[in-house]
Amino acid sequence: MNSAQFCFCACGLLLAWALAGCSQQSGPESKETRTVTQTLEPADPGQVPQLPEPVVPTLMSELQQLCENMETLPAPFSSIRSEVRQAVADLYTQRQYQPWWFDGEAFESELAESVLDSFSLATLHALDPDDYFPDELRLRWSQMSQVVKADRLRERALTDLVFTLSVTALAYDLHLGRVPHQHVVSTWRGVEKTFDAASLLSRIPGGEPVETILESYAPPHEKYQHLRRALATYRHIAGRGGWEPVDARLLNSLKDRELESGSHPLVPLLRKRLAQEGYAVPPTENPALQDIYDEPLQKVMRQFQANRGLEPDGIVGPLTLKAINIPVEKLIGKIIWSMDRCRWLPEQLGERHILVNVPEFTLRAYQAGEEPLQMRVIVGDSKKGTFTPIFADEMEYVIFRPYWNVPRSIIRGELVPEIKKDRDHIKKFNYEIVDRFSPNAEVFKPSRANIERLENGELKIRQTAGPYNALGLVKFIFPNEHSVYLHDTNQRNLFVYSQRDMSHGCIRVHEPEALARFALPASQWTEESIRQAMYEGERRHVSVGSTIPVYIFYLTAFPAVGTGPIGFFEDLYQYDARMAAYEQNAANVAVR
C-alpha cells in the first residue's frame, strides 16, 4: 500500500469513529444540549447571541411581593385584622404597587409624622392608640438609614406597607367597629356598610388635617357623639379615684319611712355619690339637714333609678344600692362596648326611624331629630334563651286584630300538653287547629287524631282576633328572616316590672295606639280611627306608606337624655362580655 492509500484509509477510520461517537450521545442529554444551542443561536448567523437581562428589584416589585404574602409580615403588624390586610393589598394592586409614603427614595416624613400624631384621637373614640403601633412605626422610620444597602429596598417597601396598614386599621375600626359583629352576634342583618381604603389614602396628602379625615370615619349620629362625651366624663371621674362603695349594712338598719321623712346616716353618702357622677344634687342651706332625705334629693334619686333601668320610685332598696355601688370602671366598659356597637349602625338612621334598645326594655321613635315617642317594651327571655335577635329592617305595614300564628316550638312545648289535659283549652283561649296559616285555612276539631297530627307537625294552631289574643289588637310588621315583629299584648300588667325579658323573641309594646299613630299616615289615620280598627270589625292589613327603618339594637350605655349622666343597663344577653372575650382571644368566641 502506498502512502496515498494509507492516508485515505486513516481518514476514513477517523471519520467513522467520529460518527460512532456522535451516535452514542443520542438521548435526553443530547436533546437538551440541542435545545440550549438552538435557543442561544441567533436568527441571523452574523449576530452574537444575547442572554436575557437579570430582573432588577424595585420598590414596586418588593411591595407586590409583600402584598402577596401578607401572612409573613413581622410582629406586631401581623396581628392587624385580615379584612384590613386584604383591603390594603387590593389598594396596592389597583395602583400597580406604587408606594404611598416615598417620593423616589425620599420618605414623606412630614406627612408620616402628622399621621402618627393623629393616632392619639383613638382614645377619644374608645380605641387604644397602641393597637395601631405608632411607636413601632416611628422606630422603623428612624432606623431606615441604618439598614445595610442590600436590605434597604425591602425595608422601604415594608415601611410603606405597614404605615398604610396602621392608618387604614384605625379608620376601619372607627367606621365598622373594633369587634366585628360577624364574630359576636350572628343575627345582625339589614345594614351593609363598606370601607373605601382608596378614598382614605387619597385624602391624606391633600393638606386636610389627618385628624379631621379620621374623625369623618366615626359615626356622625348624636347617639354615638353623646356616648363619646360621656366616655371622657367617666374617665375623668375614674382619674379622680371614682367613688367609694356605700356600706350595704346601713341599708339593713333603714326603714323606708325613716328615709322618706327622717334623718339617716345613709343620706349624706347618697348626696356625695350622686354628685360625684354628675347628678345635680341641690345643696342644703342648713348643714344640719344634710342627712334628711328631702323631696329635691328624692327627685334626683328617681332620675338615677330611671337611668339604671329601675323603677323610679325614689325608694332606696337593695337593687338601687347595688346600682350605686357599681364601680366607675365597669360603667366605662359599658360605654366602650356600646360605642363599638354603634359603629355597626348605618351612618344615617333615617329621618323617621324606630329604635328598640333591648337591655333597656325601651322603644323610641324619632322624627326629624326629635323623639316624639318613648315606651316600655317586653323582649326575649334571657334565662330561657329565647333572645330577641339584633337586626335592622323596615316597617311596611300594620295588621289590626291579627291572628296569632303560633310557632312550632310553642305548639309542641306548651300548647299540646295543655290540650291533652283539657281539650276545652282550644275553645277557652280562642285557638283554632288549621292546616295552614291563611285567612282561608280549613279549621279542624280537637279530636285525638287531630291532636296527634298537631304534635307531628302536620297541623298548626292560630289564635283568633280579640282580647285573648297573645298579640293583642295590633302588630307592626317589618318582614325579616327571624319572624320577629312589634305587637300589642293581652298581658298589659307585665309592664309594671322593671326587668321585662319575658317573651319568646318578639317585642311587646306598652302603647300600641301611640305607635300606630306614629307609623301610619296622619292624613288618613286619627286617634279615633285607630281605636276603631283595634277594637271593632275584622282583621285589617294597612300600609304605612313610606317604610320606616327599625333597629332592634343592644346598648348597655345609652344617652337617654341630652344632658346629664347617661343610662346604664344590665348586660342582658352577655354581648358586652362576649366582645370583651373576643378582644382577649378571638379564636375562643363562638358566634350566637
Side-chain angles (χ1 to χ4, degrees):
M1 178 183 295
N2 59 31
S3 60
Q5 291 174 326
F6 175 80
C7 289
F8 178 83
C9 291
C11 289
L13 288 171
L14 289 170
L15 179 60
W17 178 80
L19 290 172
C22 289
S23 66
Q24 291 172 3
Q25 296 295 324
S26 63
E29 292 184 1
S30 64
K31 290 179 182 177
E32 182 180 349
T33 303
R34 285 199 302 274
T35 301
V36 173
T37 303
Q38 291 167 1
T39 301
L40 296 178
E41 186 177 9
D44 185 348
Q47 292 181 350
V48 177
Q50 297 291 322
L51 292 171
E53 294 185 5
V55 176
V56 179
T58 64
L59 187 55
M60 289 183 292
S61 68
E62 292 290 341
L63 276 167
Q64 179 176 359
Q65 194 172 37
L66 287 169
C67 288
E68 292 174 352
N69 298 277
M70 284 283 196
E71 67 279 0
T72 64
L73 285 174
F77 305 102
S78 55
S79 65
I80 291 176
R81 60 201 291 182
S82 60
E83 298 94 334
V84 172
R85 297 202 305 267
Q86 186 60 56
V88 167
D90 292 343
L91 176 61
Y92 275 104
T93 302
Q94 292 165 13
R95 53 187 275 119
Q96 298 181 329
Y97 303 100
Q98 292 285 340
W100 285 102
W101 308 94
F102 283 89
D103 183 7
E105 294 188 3
F107 183 67
E108 298 279 6
S109 56
E110 185 175 343
L111 183 62
E113 185 63 49
S114 66
V115 168
L116 294 181
D117 288 344
S118 71
F119 280 16
S120 60
L121 71 80
T123 303
L124 306 177
H125 291 272
L127 300 172
D128 186 349
D130 289 342
D131 288 339
Y132 310 98
F133 319 119
D135 294 340
E136 289 81 357
L137 290 171
R138 279 195 171 89
L139 182 63
R140 178 170 291 279
W141 165 20
S142 66
Q143 292 181 346
M144 267 196 302
S145 61
Q146 303 171 22
V147 176
V148 297
K149 188 174 182 180
D151 297 333
R152 198 166 294 165
L153 196 61
R154 180 75 169 185
E155 282 300 306
R156 287 175 183 164
L158 185 56
T159 300
D160 196 273
L161 177 60
V162 296
F163 260 88
T164 305
L165 280 169
S166 289
V167 70
T168 304
L170 176 51
Y172 190 99
D173 290 351
L174 283 168
H175 190 60
L176 296 176
R178 173 69 179 165
V179 179
H181 66 80
Q182 300 93 334
H183 295 276
V184 179
V185 185
S186 63
T187 62
W188 179 244
R189 300 281 192 280
V191 174
E192 296 298 329
K193 292 182 71 174
T194 58
F195 178 78
D196 187 354
S199 174
L200 167 70
L201 272 298
S202 63
R203 288 173 65 184
I204 288 178
E208 187 179 4
V210 180
E211 281 196 14
T212 302
I213 296 171
L214 290 172
E215 287 277 6
S216 69
Y217 283 86
H221 45 75
E222 184 59 26
K223 295 174 183 62
Y224 176 87
Q225 295 300 330
H226 196 85
L227 286 172
R228 174 182 167 179
R229 293 189 289 271
L231 177 65
T233 298
Y234 281 85
R235 280 178 168 168
H236 181 67
I237 294 171
R240 293 184 301 178
W243 45 69
E244 291 291 328
V246 176
D247 191 342
R249 290 174 297 182
L250 290 174
L251 187 62
N252 294 337
S253 65
L254 178 67
K255 295 180 181 178
D256 290 344
R257 189 166 300 280
E258 287 179 343
L259 187 56
E260 288 175 9
S261 58
S263 63
H264 194 278
L266 179 62
V267 175
L269 300 177
L270 295 177
R271 290 185 184 277
K272 179 181 178 182
R273 166 65 183 82
L274 293 171
Q276 284 177 316
E277 194 172 348
Y279 286 90
V281 178
T284 55
E285 296 181 2
N286 186 348
L289 301 178
Q290 280 289 320
D291 58 355
I292 300 296
Y293 192 53
D294 54 18
E295 176 55 34
L297 182 57
Q298 290 181 46
K299 183 179 179 180
V300 176
M301 181 57 72
R302 287 193 288 271
Q303 182 188 3
F304 172 86
Q305 289 170 326
N307 283 348
R308 292 297 192 274
L310 302 171
E311 187 62 34
D313 54 15
I315 298 173
V316 182
L319 291 179
T320 298
L321 195 61
K322 180 182 176 182
I324 283 173
N325 284 339
I326 294 175
V328 66
E329 290 78 13
K330 188 171 182 179
L331 301 184
I332 290 171
K334 289 179 182 290
I335 297 173
I336 288 172
W337 299 128
S338 294
M339 287 178 68
D340 209 49
R341 283 191 292 271
C342 277
R343 299 181 185 112
W344 301 354
L345 290 166
E347 294 181 42
Q348 301 301 324
L349 300 177
E351 180 76 6
R352 298 175 74 221
H353 67 273
I354 294 169
L355 188 144
V356 176
N357 189 25
V358 171
E360 189 186 3
F361 312 111
T362 300
L363 176 150
R364 291 178 175 83
Y366 295 90
Q367 174 95 39
E370 300 295 324
E371 185 186 303
L373 190 61
Q374 177 181 329
M375 69 181 70
R376 296 184 171 199
V377 297
I378 294 171
V379 301
D381 197 312
S382 61
K383 297 179 181 63
K384 294 180 179 178
T386 56
F387 295 175
T388 293
I390 308 303
F391 69 102
D393 218 301
E394 293 188 336
M395 185 183 295
E396 297 180 4
Y397 57 93
V398 174
I399 298 177
F400 290 108
R401 300 184 67 80
Y403 287 118
W404 178 36
N405 298 324
V406 184
R408 174 81 181 135
S409 60
I410 299 177
I411 292 174
R412 292 191 64 182
E414 299 179 27
L415 292 186
V416 167
E418 290 292 337
I419 295 168
K420 283 182 175 180
K421 288 188 294 184
D422 178 12
R423 291 190 192 176
D424 283 342
H425 189 81
I426 289 279
K427 185 178 180 180
K428 287 177 183 176
F429 294 96
N430 295 342
Y431 289 117
E432 292 179 341
I433 300 176
V434 294
D435 59 345
R436 65 190 186 280
F437 291 142
S438 167
N440 303 322
E442 182 181 355
V443 179
F444 295 83
K445 293 181 179 180
S447 65
R448 181 176 297 176
N450 286 336
I451 293 172
E452 288 181 4
R453 294 178 65 192
L454 187 64
E455 193 170 18
N456 294 334
E458 298 176 41
L459 296 177
K460 305 176 186 299
I461 289 183
R462 71 184 180 192
Q463 192 175 36
T464 60
Y468 288 105
N469 191 291
L471 303 184
L473 298 171
V474 60
K475 67 177 180 178
F476 306 84
I477 305 298
F478 35 102
N480 59 83
E481 62 182 302
H482 311 290
S483 299
V484 165
Y485 41 84
L486 303 168
H487 66 87
D488 184 18
T489 178
N490 61 350
Q491 295 178 299
R492 300 282 184 87
N493 59 302
L494 297 180
F495 288 105
V496 301
Y497 295 100
S498 57
Q499 181 159 337
R500 297 183 294 278
D501 54 326
M502 306 169 183
S503 82
H504 290 89
C506 284
I507 301 156
R508 308 175 198 174
V509 299
H510 189 211
E511 302 173 54
E513 294 176 39
L515 185 57
R517 288 199 301 274
F518 175 83
L520 296 174
S523 60
Q524 303 172 32
W525 288 89
T526 64
E527 183 176 348
E528 182 180 351
S529 62
I530 288 171
R531 287 186 61 82
Q532 185 175 13
M534 288 176 63
Y535 291 95
E536 301 174 14
E538 300 297 323
R539 181 177 183 272
R540 294 186 64 179
H541 180 294
V542 182
S543 172
V544 300
S546 298
T547 58
I548 304 169
V550 178
Y551 304 97
I552 313 299
F553 211 55
Y554 192 95
L555 298 172
T556 52
F558 192 87
V561 292
T563 59
I566 64 172
F568 294 100
F569 311 101
E570 289 295 321
D571 188 13
L572 188 67
Y573 296 161
Q574 296 298 298
Y575 289 161
D576 283 358
R578 292 170 61 75
M579 294 176 80
Y582 178 89
E583 283 281 85
Q584 295 297 319
N585 189 352
N588 290 336
V589 178
V591 180
R592 281 181 181 167

